[in-house]
Amino acid sequence: MQKLAIQGGNPLRGEVRISGAKNAALPIMCASLLTADTLRLTNLPDLHDVGTMRKLLQQMGVAAEIATNEITFKGDKIDNWEAPYEMVKTMRAAILVLGPLVARFGDAKVSLPGGCAIGSRPVDLHIKGLQAMGAEIAIEHGYIHAKAKKLKGARIFFDIVSVTGTENLMMAAALADGVTVLENAAREPEVIDLANCLRAMGAKITGDGTDNITITGVEKLHGATHHIMPDRIESGTFLVAAAATGGSITLRETRADILDTVLEKLTEAGAKITVDGTSIHLEMSGRPKSVSVRTAPHPAFPTDMQAQFMVLNCIAEGSAMVIETIFENRFMHVQELRRLGAMIDVEGNTSVVRGVDHLEGATVMATDLRASACLVIAGLVAQGETVIDRIYHLDRGYEHIESKLSQLGANIRRIK
Ligand code: UD1
């Protein structure tokens, strides 16, 4: 199993290009199931999850022509409508094939995702939404089996805001008969990116980016070319790493408008941030100030940035509260951070972090994707060497992380 070894203490300095967003790439790749024409996606990040999704689509009969950071899909020979357990268990986003398959072929079989490290994460909202659109759904032998002659537009209310739930039903509705209205829909920028791609393919969608999305089904979708939006979580992770190490970095090819709350919190921590077109510059001098955060659906503070801000608070001046409202078990990084000397108390979904003046390197274990990112930041600020075990989580979501960090002056290497 691969590990990362980091010698802490170097402030991050320099420029880094931000990759395409994982959470936009995965649903948009599934849009290739909605048409027999070609869908060309550019700015695709080179990530393990993108590879897994491509293999899943290929298993279904989608042709994939691969170039650097782009894939051209063609879904004219799809003959297998099943997403097997082996794929879904490693990547929950595989559930995103369900809506498109049942909409275009009237049949889909997708393994139920099991529990995962950050909580139980059910998919009941995806299922209820498809049922409201007329699909018959059976849960058998660990699989969701959905059938429908033709999906019909419906009014669907989400009692919990779900990002992939919104995306799955938006794709299904694109080929349904009539109008679908998604109420209390997710407003994440990645939902808008998917809607932009679907519109380029001929879908009729309005209201994306608000909590009320209207989709008027069309008979057929056609091919398109779509450039994946920048990854706001990768952007935020580099910014926090620079702030925590007292560095000065510039992110290229990103967007400040999708990072509002994160930039606000970094400013509150004492960072100086300037935005110039698609670049964001952060400068930090002195010790960061503690900042409390409470995760909630977009546009509030993203759960995928919670662990990174926890590390910032670990070495900040003062105390802060970190409240997690999206996932019930997303504090597993706390125990690992304590091994580095962090002072964190947890009660239910609330952590109280008291800043210490330094962390000390140790061996730690990554438990999920964003927890891994927080341990990398912790390693960058800690005195001495930090070794992070189980970094396969990191490779699922961060493109070439150690080369990007090395380029910024970090002392980091992969141990194979
Ligand atoms: C997506 C992101 C993930 C991010 C999360 C929250 C992708 C590929 N992943 O995950 O990085 O952390 O949004 O911003 O985009 N829920 C239900 N029933 C459902 C669906 C969800 O109860 O059918 C609950 C979940 O357990 C969770 C909450 O709703 O408590 C939000 O989850 P959801 O937005 O669906 O997360 P994902 O789409 O899986």
Side-chain angles (χ1 to χ4, degrees):
M1 216 174 281
Q2 300 193 359
K3 300 175 186 184
L4 277 182
I6 305 173
Q7 285 290 338
N10 295 1
L12 296 190
R13 289 190 198 290
E15 280 187 21
V16 63
R17 183 193 165 270
I18 294 304
S19 301
K22 168 180 92 72
N23 286 355
L26 298 176
I28 291 172
M29 289 170 79
C30 295
S32 67
L33 295 168
L34 290 166
T35 175
D37 291 348
T38 52
L39 178 65
R40 179 170 165 244
L41 301 180
T42 58
N43 203 32
L44 270 179
D46 180 14
L47 299 173
H48 203 263
D49 274 6
V50 167
T52 307
M53 186 62 91
R54 176 193 33 89
K55 283 183 206 139
L56 174 61
L57 295 169
Q58 284 176 309
Q59 267 185 24
M60 292 175 167
V62 179
E65 213 181 288
I66 306 165
T68 310
N69 290 119
E70 72 172 71
I71 304 182
T72 302
F73 295 98
K74 189 159 174 64
D76 59 341
K77 295 195 180 72
I78 296 169
D79 55 2
N80 168 18
W81 308 316
E82 182 172 327
Y85 177 66
E86 289 67 39
M87 293 268 181
V88 185
K89 79 167 186 219
T90 59
M91 186 189 61
R92 295 178 44 85
I95 188 74
L96 286 161
V97 301
L98 183 65
L101 283 175
V102 70
R104 180 156 163 231
F105 302 103
D107 203 326
K109 227 178 134 183
V110 178
S111 169
L112 271 172
C116 76
I118 62 174
S120 65
R121 298 181 85 176
V123 289
D124 55 311
L125 299 168
H126 303 237
I127 294 174
K128 278 187 205 147
L130 289 173
Q131 281 170 329
M133 296 172 81
E136 276 180 27
I137 300 203
I139 308 289
E140 43 196 23
H141 306 291
Y143 278 76
I144 307 165
H145 193 168
K147 282 185 168 199
K149 274 213 180 72
K150 179 84 179 164
L151 291 178
K152 291 183 183 52
R155 176 184 159 265
I156 296 163
F157 176 79
F158 288 89
D159 54 3
I160 300 175
V161 179
S162 167
V163 178
T164 48
T166 301
E167 293 165 342
N168 225 343
L169 297 181
M170 194 160 80
M171 287 192 276
L175 285 182
D177 253 349
V179 179
T180 298
V181 180
L182 304 179
E183 293 180 359
N184 199 25
R187 290 180 280 171
E188 267 65 4
E190 293 76 16
V191 173
I192 303 179
D193 207 33
L194 171 64
N196 285 337
C197 177
L198 293 172
R199 270 189 293 264
M201 295 167 73
K204 294 205 168 104
I205 303 173
T206 56
D208 45 297
T210 75
D211 60 3
N212 197 300
I213 304 177
T214 302
I215 306 114
T216 306
V218 295
E219 195 58 39
K220 258 185 166 187
L221 293 177
H222 51 71
T225 295
H226 180 80
H227 189 80
I228 304 290
M229 65 178 285
D231 197 311
R232 64 194 165 102
I233 307 302
E234 187 199 23
S235 303
T237 302
F238 278 108
L239 291 174
V240 172
T245 56
S248 161
I249 67 166
T250 302
L251 310 184
R252 298 276 182 229
E253 292 179 49
T254 185
R255 275 172 51 189
D257 64 310
I258 52 178
L259 279 157
D260 283 345
T261 38
V262 167
L263 298 184
E264 252 171 50
K265 290 288 170 186
L266 283 167
T267 306
E268 207 181 309
K272 286 205 171 60
I273 293 174
T274 43
V275 176
D276 180 10
T278 57
S279 298
I280 302 177
H281 178 72
L282 176 142
E283 188 113 26
M284 185 80 182
S285 51
R287 192 174 170 190
K289 291 193 248 332
S290 293
V291 277
S292 291
V293 297
R294 180 178 184 278
T295 68
H298 193 79
F301 187 85
T303 174
D304 287 349
M305 285 301 301
Q306 179 254 103
Q308 298 87 322
F309 270 79
M310 180 91 83
V311 184
L312 190 68
N313 281 316
C314 285
I315 46 114
E317 194 186 321
S319 299
M321 281 215 288
V322 176
I323 305 174
E324 173 59 54
T325 75
I326 307 280
F327 294 113
E328 73 265 30
N329 191 21
R330 211 175 198 183
F331 281 146
M332 281 180 320
H333 40 286
V334 167
Q335 286 182 17
E336 304 302 307
L337 291 172
R338 282 183 187 141
R339 293 178 46 73
L340 304 179
M343 304 262 281
I344 308 169
D345 290 317
V346 179
E347 180 73 47
N349 70 347
T350 302
S351 301
V352 176
V353 189
R354 272 171 293 157
V356 293
D357 62 36
H358 71 277
L359 296 176
E360 281 172 11
T363 297
V364 288
M365 196 163 69
T367 47
D368 69 69
L369 173 55
R370 305 306 169 185
S372 316
C374 105
L375 295 177
V376 170
I377 300 173
L380 293 173
V381 295
Q383 292 177 356
E385 186 175 71
T386 298
V387 174
I388 308 173
D389 206 345
R390 299 205 182 162
I391 52 157
Y392 55 85
H393 292 290
L394 209 55
D395 295 330
R396 289 188 41 219
Y398 288 90
E399 188 176 45
H400 311 149
I401 188 158
E402 72 264 32
S403 59
K404 285 188 177 184
L405 285 170
S406 302
Q407 180 192 324
L408 294 169
N411 187 340
I412 181 170
R413 70 197 155 85
R414 192 174 283 247
I415 309 170
K416 295 204 172 165

